[in-house]
Amino acid sequence: MKDSNNPGQNSNNTSRHASIVELLSTPPAIAQQPQSATELEAISLSRNASATSLDSQMSSTTSCLTKVHAQKWQHIQLSQLIEENKLVTVEESVSVEEAFNTLVRHNLTSLPVEHASNDMNCFTFDYNDLNSYLLLVLNKIQVNDPKVARDCQMGKPVPVGEIVKLTPKNQFHKLRETDNLSMAMGILGSGVHRLAITDLEGTQIKGILSQRRLIKYLWDNARQFSSLQPLLNSSLRDLGIGVLDSQTAPTSRQSRVISIQGEEQLIMALYKMHNERISSIAVVDNHGNLLGNISVTDVKHVTRTSQYPLLHNTCRHFISVILNSRGLEMGKDSFPIFHVYPSSSLARTLAKLVATKAHRLWIVQPENSAASTPSSAISSSPQSTTLNAHAGANDHEVPNRSGSPISVKSFDENTAQTASTPLFEKEYRTGKLIGVVSLTDILGLLARRQTEHKQVDPQAARRQRGSVAV
């Protein structure tokens, strides 16, 4: 797909409906109010939503999305972002498997793990913990608790409360529901992934505010926040956020560009994400061209013993497994777009982050103008027609909606691997991987530019968590 700023690039194509990813990869005209409620819905839908299910999506959208805010976004109280129906907790005594099933059942990416009811200082269980647990089961990592390690490797149930202690975590930050977005921005912009919103007394957690939720809120309401417009219209290069050149050593406030070769085994990608304390990793070919993206949430595809052979297959093959399993499950005709360019606007970057539900996008430098092949052109290729019909929008941050891990036996892996080759050649080789931009980078920028937190350091939380790798 061309990274064009022309929102009508597919307007003349009547032979196929544009996928949700295509719709969302073009940011809305911020200066104009939407013509109708339907138009606003189309802007804020995630790329997993079907274009024919707008009514069901509208019912799940919070009232904040259509409310015109008279005050500045910095002064909005956190109570407006609380999604109480999304607050699900588990007791520390439940097994890791049960905690994982709870994540999937409620379409969540993290769960507070309580020592007792209304535990205000609880840990959280997320897919990074699940990844560590899997590596422990496979005896790929060592921990300081030999009993937990032994139980994992023997297949015994392990309490989730023990596993969450093995992965370094940041302090569980808490703000009251009457606190404002500016305060939340200062915390999340430092690299903290989520914080708790409590009642006025600070004695009960009412909701969890994540980096991704805050970004989506700002994007969905961007038309009402005029102060954001100059930033949204600026390019990543002009804003100086993220890493725009992997050949230059990153500063103390920048992330490193971490990637893995497409022909390396999947288990090495999971191990590398564990070591580096990252939630996703870029997959590149031998020339450094971006092939795709693997996230810790993809661990859900290898949680069954029958799926373990995938761990010793290539990362490149695993990407085709993700695309095909999502396509067969959801029947979507769309592609995950995990890349932007140095010239991409912040608005375009936000749109893609919201659409893919990702924590980071990879910055590529296209070799030439033909590097980004339009999806419509790919669809017309006989070699890629089959995969295009089954390749779903890769949901890298939300568990699959079936309520259980996807079985690798649900499709012909050999066919998927063969059919995926033309797709990767045309769709994913969009350019050489040169950088990365994350939610933390963007929230840190907003904090420094538009709040009182002028010195916020986007790498502060990461340094606190530390890295296993030397």
Side-chain angles (χ1 to χ4, degrees), residues 26-250:
T26 302
I30 302 299
Q32 299 177 358
Q33 289 292 344
Q35 299 285 322
S36 63
T38 303
E39 182 182 347
L40 183 57
E41 291 167 15
I43 293 170
S44 62
L45 283 174
S46 74
R47 58 114 177 92
N48 290 324
S50 168
T52 60
S53 62
L54 296 182
D55 291 339
S56 60
Q57 286 293 327
M58 184 173 64
S59 63
S60 64
T61 304
T62 64
S63 60
C64 296
L65 302 186
T66 56
K67 179 177 180 179
V68 177
H69 301 288
Q71 72 270 49
K72 295 181 178 180
W73 68 262
Q74 296 92 332
H75 301 158
I76 294 173
Q77 292 188 352
L78 298 181
S79 58
Q80 294 195 32
L81 280 77
I82 292 177
E83 297 178 292
E84 295 189 9
N85 60 316
K86 294 291 185 69
L87 182 60
V88 179
T89 64
V90 294
E91 297 179 359
E92 64 178 5
S93 59
V94 307
S95 67
V96 174
E97 181 179 1
E98 186 176 346
F100 165 64
N101 289 333
T102 303
L103 277 180
V104 173
R105 186 165 58 252
H106 294 279
N107 291 327
L108 300 172
T109 56
S110 67
L111 290 168
V113 179
E114 296 184 327
H115 176 70
S117 181
N118 293 327
D119 185 0
M120 295 298 294
N121 295 299
C122 55
F123 289 102
T124 57
F125 172 74
D126 57 27
Y127 278 95
N128 286 297
D129 295 306
L130 183 65
N131 185 34
S132 298
Y133 172 72
L134 176 63
L135 292 171
L136 198 54
V137 168
L138 298 172
N139 196 27
K140 296 297 183 182
I141 61 173
Q142 302 297 320
V143 294
N144 293 326
D145 192 328
K147 182 180 184 305
V148 169
R150 186 168 57 251
D151 288 346
C152 287
Q153 291 156 23
M154 293 180 64
K156 294 182 178 180
V158 177
V160 68
E162 297 298 326
I163 293 298
V164 296
K165 297 175 184 177
L166 302 178
T167 304
K169 298 181 183 296
N170 293 120
Q171 171 190 352
F172 193 34
H173 291 269
K174 295 176 283 291
L175 292 177
R176 288 177 169 78
E177 58 184 336
T178 52
D179 289 330
N180 58 36
L181 281 187
S182 180
M183 298 179 66
M185 189 71 74
I187 296 173
L188 298 177
S190 69
V192 174
H193 290 166
R194 59 188 67 88
L195 57 83
I197 304 175
T198 73
D199 58 10
L200 293 177
E201 292 75 25
T203 58
Q204 182 178 358
I205 297 175
K206 300 191 65 175
I208 302 295
L209 178 62
S210 66
Q211 288 183 321
R212 201 180 69 205
R213 165 67 175 151
L214 179 52
I215 284 288
K216 185 178 188 304
Y217 178 83
L218 293 174
W219 175 247
D220 286 337
N221 293 280
R223 295 175 184 270
Q224 282 76 49
F225 303 141
S226 59
S227 63
L228 291 177
Q229 292 182 32
L231 294 178
L232 293 175
N233 292 332
S234 301
S235 70
L236 297 180
R237 181 187 293 112
D238 291 340
L239 294 172
I241 60 172
V243 176
L244 302 179
D245 181 4
S246 61
Q247 301 304 313
T248 301

Side-chain angles (χ1 to χ4, degrees), residues 131 134-135 138-141 258-278 280-283 294-296 299 302 308-316 318 469:
N131 185 34
L134 176 63
L135 292 171
L138 298 172
N139 196 27
K140 296 297 183 182
I141 61 173
I258 301 174
S259 62
I260 192 167
Q261 291 287 319
E263 301 310 314
E264 289 196 59
Q265 293 183 346
L266 173 63
I267 188 69
M268 294 307 299
L270 302 185
Y271 180 76
K272 202 166 187 177
M273 285 190 287
H274 168 82
N275 265 17
E276 298 289 350
R277 307 299 187 204
I278 54 177
S280 61
I281 190 169
V283 181
I294 293 177
S295 166
V296 288
V299 172
V302 289
Y308 282 1
L310 287 173
L311 292 167
H312 302 289
N313 211 321
T314 65
C315 293
R316 181 190 182 109
F318 186 61

